Amino acid sequence: MVRCALECSSFTAVFKCINKHFILYSNMFSQAKFLTHNQINEFKECFSLYDKGQRGKIEAKDLITVMRCLGTCPTFSEVERHLHLHRIGKAGELDFSTFLSIMHRQMEQEDPRTEILEALRTTDKQQRGYVLASELRTKLTHLGEKLTDKEVDDLFREAGVGPDGHISYDQFSRLATQQRQQS
């Protein structure tokens, strides 16, 4: 902020510069109400990897990659909407404060529990409210972000697989989202 104030030649310009930085920091601290200290640190670390010029900014074209690296799953249209909302063009740049705002909004609109429930419901053709452990194991070890057999065993142990080999997908989705929030 001092550097910015030194570059400004008039009182009005200095005031605008200070005001800009105040808004930047107050915006960042308002996001801190909704994000944990650990999340902000993790976001900053990943953001910094894409800050090519070490200027505290990333290119808009890198936004979707950074967001996905941090565990969100935005679509291209969602990213475009976030950029439009902040008046940033596809060839523009965004600072860390804006990035925090975008991440917070994206995390609010993504509901992992609902997504897990929907995925499990699609495998439950008879709508029984459960899936077979063997069927879920196959999906978890062969599709998407593949889990190891040990990871699946640990997950099933905590999920309380019944003696009949059934897993309640409501209980499973609750367990999976609790673990995600704690990590």
Side-chain angles (χ1 to χ4, degrees), residues 119-130:
L120 292 173
R121 280 189 185 118
T122 61
T123 64
D124 182 14
K125 303 295 183 209
Q126 292 82 29
Q127 297 180 333
R128 302 167 296 198
Y130 63 86

Side-chain angles (χ1 to χ4, degrees), residues 1-9 13-14 16-18 20-21:
M1 188 161 55
V2 172
R3 184 190 60 174
C4 183
L6 293 174
E7 291 171 1
C8 300
S9 57
V14 170
K16 284 181 182 177
C17 186
I18 291 170
K20 176 182 128 193
H21 286 281

Side-chain angles (χ1 to χ4, degrees), residues 87-153:
R87 296 185 179 105
I88 300 170
K90 290 180 184 178
E93 297 178 317
L94 56 143
D95 61 24
F96 186 63
S97 176
T98 304
F99 176 71
L100 282 180
S101 177
I102 290 170
M103 281 298 292
H104 175 254
R105 180 170 281 114
Q106 183 68 31
M107 290 168 63
E108 272 189 332
Q109 74 186 41
E110 288 183 8
D111 181 8
R113 183 160 187 262
T114 302
E115 290 177 20
I116 292 169
L117 279 171
E118 288 303 313
L120 292 173
R121 280 189 185 118
T122 61
T123 64
D124 182 14
K125 303 295 183 209
Q126 292 82 29
Q127 297 180 333
R128 302 167 296 198
Y130 63 86
V131 292
L132 294 173
S134 58
E135 188 178 342
L136 185 56
R137 174 181 294 280
T138 301
K139 288 182 179 8
L140 292 174
T141 56
H142 291 90
L143 301 175
E145 194 173 316
K146 298 169 186 72
L147 299 180
T148 66
D149 283 324
K150 184 186 179 329
E151 289 170 324
V152 174
D153 290 341

Side-chain angles (χ1 to χ4, degrees), residues 51-68:
D51 179 8
K52 295 175 180 92
Q54 303 300 315
R55 299 175 310 122
K57 295 183 178 202
I58 62 169
E59 295 177 17
K61 69 179 180 69
D62 292 330
L63 180 59
I64 194 165
T65 304
V66 177
M67 293 176 76
R68 288 181 175 172

